Amino acid sequence: MVVEEERRSSSSSLRMGTNNDFFNSGSAIIERTDGLVVDLLQFESPIYQMQCRQGEWRWTAITQLAHHGMLYVPIGYTFGAGMFKMDSIRGGSPYGAGVFSGDGSREPSEKELELAQHQGKYMAMIVKRFDSKILHSSTMETLLTLNPLKPQTHLLKLPNFPIYPRISTHRCSFSPISCKLTSQPSKDTTNSKIVVPGAAPSLSEEKEPPAAPAEGSRRKDAGGVVVKRLTKKVLSFLANLPLAIGEMFAIAALMALGTAIDQGEKPEYYFQKYPEDNPILGFFSWRWILTLGFDHMFSSPVFLGTLILLGASLMACTYTTQIPMVKVARRWSFLHSANTIKKLEYSDSLPKASIQDLGVILSGAGYEVFLKGPSLYAFKGLAGRFAPIGVHLALLLIMSGGTYTATGSFKGSVTVPQGLNFVMGDVLGPSGFLSTPTEAFNTEVHVNRFSMDYYDSGEVSQFHTDLSLFDIDGKEVMRKTISVNDPLRYEGVTIYQTDWSISAIQILKDGEGPFNLAVAPLTVNGDKKLYGSFLPIGNADSTNVKGISMLLRDLQSVVLYDQEGKFAGVRRPNSKLPIEIDGTKIEIVDAIGSSGLDMKTDPGVPIVYAGFGALMLTTCISYLSHTQIWALQDGTTVVVGGKTNRAKIEFPDEMNRVLDRVPEINQPSDVICG
């Protein structure tokens, strides 16, 4: 080991190399540093870092450093993805750089040299940071008094030297490594620099060491570590794919159950339909429905809790998986080895070509191209890496909008006879704890007219309601005729045409009137509607009242029966054809219909629509392939390789089309190697 005598005591770090697995030859090197022991112990920041053929020996090597009071600094996984590549033989580990030298004939690979270079830079960074902390410690004042005007630079240099182990027959050779340390730049406007002097101050000149952290500070730090670990475990649990799949199946099952169970009915309805004495599947009765809130499934705590859990899983997956993948995809680097490029998914060689021409062709094909000397890197389709994050956000929007609608909406239904009106706020009722009324609830709705359309068979085909909306001052703000599937929308309130009925029959009796006779629905078998009315004849206060009966199925016609219940005839409203029954002449003027309206507010609908739009867009974007291409100019030959995350079958054809367009060069001088 060769160290310049005048510089060894002023060095802040030491980097050594050995080739023996268990550091036997390394101990010999340690023995040759006896003169440095005292000097190294004088510093607060002796840093020792090693590299060799394999990494396992470093457990033994660390114990050797204790004799010198040194700090051992491994590189960990700071080298990034290069630490995990298994496509070729590579020395080194998180303990430090290394080379598999075999019998000594194998030269270090480019990756091993890159790792060694990274280790040197990393060591210098740590030493400089540690050195800066010393300058701001309790020894600062003493260091300044030793040599305040003469800045120094500390250099430790190890020239080329072979190390011959005692046992192994392998050999490991290292290039010169130097570490130049200077202090952090001063905030003062002067150009002077403060560096570690050649000798440390004596112990008598040093101040008292800093006090240990307070008990409260230690507890706070320990609490922070616990919180971080717990957060990491929770995120790992939530980001679990089987859990997310199970949550989606649970939501689908709850939605199916909500479809099967009639929603929003009174408790008596469930008492009758789901009795405890005859439960479904032997256990499911009204008690389950009312206790778990399944009568309002989509605002029940069970359903909303499952939605929240799925949303948390999506956010955890995005944070722990998708965002790191995007960060990795955005990183790029040049490949300087032709062998590495040839091991990619696709590779080819252009015998007489220029890498600059290849870059122009790739740029025209939609690639982002980067050139550095003889190396090229190009990519396209990076948006495809962002698409999964967009899909997750879109799903969160959809679920958020649906949850907002379930917990913050209003709904109600009303049947209004033609000619009457109502106030929106009197019909609409809150459906969740986030429901908040608006100014539109003071709007008055007037039913101007109700009408029906019929098939040729006489069945009802469609029904319409002419509605007018009036504000609080009585001014008409909107008018529209609604029908099934054609609702009215006003300031967040939607009015749907959902049903119809008959409220009254208007007649003339013996030329007098008109009189409105109330109509009541009659219970019949089947789903067809039937309405009836009664016109008393004679003394209406008698206990045996008789009169004329009238039946209606719709607004087209009225069937009349006499006092004995015998069929008397049929008349259409507005036909102006009177009929005489039991000495009483009757004329049907009109059949007054009632409009069945459903009203609700959906505050989350815009959010749901935005979520579905984003979902469709990001789903399409996710099919974009993220393609990466590397190339290296090797003389007059260009070695090209690439990979893609999708369209793996089409990728070779695309590459062949691109390479076919690269022009062939005739003179080697045409190749610019940078």
Side-chain angles (χ1 to χ4, degrees):
M1 177 177 178
V2 181
V3 181
E4 297 180 18
E5 183 68 24
E6 67 276 7
R7 292 177 176 175
R8 67 179 187 181
S9 61
S10 62
S11 301
S12 295
S13 66
L14 183 62
R15 188 166 182 241
M16 301 176 63
T18 181
N19 71 320
N20 188 270
D21 291 350
F22 297 101
F23 204 54
N24 291 328
S25 60
S27 61
I29 297 177
I30 291 293
E31 292 171 0
R32 299 174 64 181
T33 63
D34 292 341
L36 285 175
V37 173
V38 177
D39 291 338
L40 290 173
L41 289 176
Q42 289 175 341
F43 285 96
E44 294 184 26
S45 60
I47 298 178
Y48 192 97
Q49 204 157 325
M50 299 182 174
Q51 60 181 14
C52 193
R53 186 174 62 87
Q54 297 188 46
E56 292 78 1
W57 61 270
R58 290 174 177 83
W59 288 109
T60 305
I62 294 173
T63 62
Q64 300 283 346
L65 307 182
H67 295 282
H68 282 59
M70 292 173 151
L71 300 179
Y72 172 66
V73 181
I75 61 173
Y77 290 94
T78 58
F79 192 55
M83 299 290 292
F84 304 97
K85 291 190 177 296
M86 304 293 292
D87 53 354
S88 62
I89 297 176
R90 177 186 59 78
S93 72
Y95 294 103
V99 177
F100 285 106
S101 59
D103 58 357
S105 61
R106 181 181 180 274
E107 294 295 329
S109 66
E110 290 188 11
K111 186 59 66 176
E112 290 170 332
L113 293 176
E114 290 176 7
L115 180 58
Q117 185 181 18
H118 169 77
Q119 183 181 14
K121 292 180 179 178
Y122 183 73
M123 181 188 70
M125 179 188 69
I126 296 297
V127 172
K128 189 172 183 179
R129 184 184 305 170
F130 209 109
D131 194 49
S132 175
K133 290 182 179 179
I134 293 177
L135 297 177
H136 293 84
S137 68
S138 60
T139 61
M140 170 65 78
E141 182 178 352
T142 305
L143 291 175
L144 291 175
T145 59
L146 289 176
N147 198 348
L149 298 178
K150 183 180 179 181
Q152 301 181 28
T153 298
H154 312 282
L155 183 67
L156 172 66
K157 186 174 182 181
L158 283 73
N160 286 330
F161 65 94
I163 300 177
Y164 299 95
R166 302 174 185 174
I167 302 175
S168 174
T169 59
H170 305 306
R171 183 177 64 187
C172 184
S173 177
F174 297 89
S175 299
I177 300 170
S178 63
C179 179
K180 187 176 182 180
L181 305 176
T182 58
S183 64
Q184 294 287 344
S186 174
K187 294 183 180 179
D188 195 357
T189 56
T190 62
N191 295 326
S192 61
K193 294 188 295 183
I194 301 176
V195 296
V196 180
S202 62
L203 296 178
S204 61
E205 295 176 328
E206 293 184 355
K207 294 184 179 181
E208 292 293 329
E215 182 68 22
S217 177
R218 288 198 298 267
R219 291 180 179 178
K220 185 177 180 180
D221 293 342
V225 172
V226 172
V227 171
K228 288 182 179 180
R229 290 178 179 176
L230 181 60
T231 302
K232 186 176 181 180
K233 289 183 178 180
V234 171
L235 289 175
S236 177
F237 172 77
L238 291 175
N240 186 269
L241 180 59
L243 175 64
I245 295 175
E247 293 163 354
M248 296 181 69
F249 273 111
I251 291 174
L254 291 174
M255 293 176 66
L257 189 60
T259 304
I261 299 175
D262 296 328
Q263 300 291 295
E265 300 291 342
K266 295 181 179 180
E268 291 78 10
Y269 174 83
Y270 301 105
F271 295 158
Q272 181 179 2
K273 191 167 184 179
Y274 304 96
E276 286 190 301
D277 54 356
N278 187 24
I280 299 175
L281 300 177
F283 70 94
F284 192 80
S285 64
W286 62 266
R287 194 176 298 277
W288 283 84
I289 297 175
L290 299 181
T291 301
L292 297 177
F294 287 171
D295 55 333
H296 296 84
M297 173 64 76
F298 303 105
S299 60
S300 66
V302 176
F303 186 80
L304 294 180
T306 308
L307 277 182
I308 293 173
L309 186 60
L310 178 58
S313 294
L314 289 174
M315 289 188 290
C317 179
T318 302
Y319 179 75
T320 61
T321 303
Q322 300 301 334
I323 292 179
M325 289 179 64
V326 171
K327 290 181 178 179
V328 171
R330 292 183 63 185
R331 299 192 191 110
W332 55 272
S333 61
F334 296 101
L335 296 182
H336 304 286
S337 172
N339 292 331
T340 303
I341 296 177
K342 291 178 181 180
K343 293 177 182 179
L344 296 173
E345 295 177 4
Y346 172 88
S347 63
D348 200 352
S349 298
L350 301 175
K352 296 181 179 180
S354 169
I355 198 168
Q356 283 77 13
D357 293 338
L358 176 60
V360 173
I361 300 299
L362 289 174
S363 179
Y367 286 83
E368 293 285 340
V369 181
F370 302 89
L371 278 168
K372 183 179 180 182
S375 301
L376 176 146
Y377 172 77
F379 74 90
K380 72 174 182 178
L382 185 60
R385 291 291 189 181
F386 287 90
I389 298 177
V391 170
H392 287 185
L393 294 178
L395 291 175
L396 289 173
L397 279 178
I398 295 172
M399 292 188 295
S400 300
T403 302
Y404 187 29
T405 293
T407 59
S409 63
F410 289 83
K411 61 179 61 178
S413 60
V414 63
T415 301
V416 187
Q418 176 179 300
L420 299 183
N421 53 21
F422 64 94
V423 178
M424 287 185 178
D426 296 338
V427 177
L428 292 169
S431 61
F433 60 92
L434 295 178
S435 301
T436 304
T438 64
E439 289 293 331
F441 282 40
N442 296 321
T443 305
E444 184 180 277
V445 182
H446 184 76
V447 179
N448 300 316
R449 187 173 184 277
F450 177 77
S451 60
M452 305 175 71
D453 298 334
Y454 304 92
Y455 293 111
D456 295 338
S457 61
E459 299 291 333
V460 177
S461 63
Q462 181 64 282
F463 35 98
H464 313 269
T465 303
D466 181 13
L467 299 177
S468 291
L469 305 184
F470 298 88
D471 61 16
I472 196 171
D473 297 324
K475 180 182 178 181
E476 186 179 54
V477 294
M478 187 176 184
R479 182 167 183 171
K480 181 180 179 179
T481 298
I482 66 172
S483 58
V484 178
N485 297 325
D486 185 18
L488 178 149
R489 292 183 172 88
Y490 175 73
E491 293 189 3
V493 180
T494 306
I495 303 177
Y496 297 91
Q497 180 75 74
T498 57
D499 201 1
W500 64 272
S501 67
I502 301 174
S503 60
I505 300 176
Q506 194 174 74
I507 67 170
L508 294 174
K509 178 184 178 184
D510 294 330
E512 297 179 356
F515 303 100
N516 289 337
L517 300 179
V519 173
L522 304 178
T523 302
V524 296
N525 295 328
D527 57 353
K528 294 184 177 181
K529 296 183 177 183
L530 181 64
Y531 299 87
S533 186
F534 183 76
L535 176 63
I537 301 296
N539 186 5
D541 297 329
S542 173
T543 57
N544 187 17
V545 179
K546 292 186 178 182
I548 300 172
S549 300
M550 306 176 193
L551 297 179
L552 304 87
R553 289 192 177 277
D554 48 44
L555 302 180
Q556 295 184 95
S557 59
V558 180
V559 181
L560 297 95
Y561 297 87
D562 61 14
Q563 299 182 48
E564 303 298 329
K566 295 181 180 180
F567 174 75
V570 178
R571 290 293 183 270
R572 288 180 175 274
N574 297 317
S575 64
K576 298 181 180 181
L577 295 176
I579 182 173
E580 186 173 346
I581 303 174
D582 297 330
T584 302
K585 187 168 66 173
I586 298 174
E587 181 181 338
I588 306 297
V589 178
D590 195 8
I592 301 174
S594 295
S595 178
L597 305 174
D598 274 5
M599 303 175 60
K600 68 176 182 177
T601 62
D602 287 322
V605 166
I607 303 176
V608 173
Y609 285 171
F612 273 110
L615 181 62
M616 291 186 290
L617 178 62
T618 53
T619 300
C620 294
I621 294 176
S622 66
Y623 284 97
L624 295 177
S625 300
H626 179 225
T627 305
Q628 297 172 283
I629 296 176
W630 290 268
L632 181 66
Q633 184 83 56
D634 187 7
T636 60
T637 301
V638 176
V639 182
V640 185
K643 63 180 181 179
T644 183
N645 64 330
R646 297 185 184 274
K648 294 184 179 294
I649 298 178
E650 294 82 2
F651 180 59
D653 296 333
E654 178 187 356
M655 286 299 302
N656 289 332
R657 289 192 298 269
V658 170
L659 298 183
D660 289 342
R661 296 170 55 191
V662 178
E664 182 178 350
I665 60 175
N666 296 321
Q667 299 295 332
S669 59
D670 294 339
V671 182
I672 302 176
C673 298

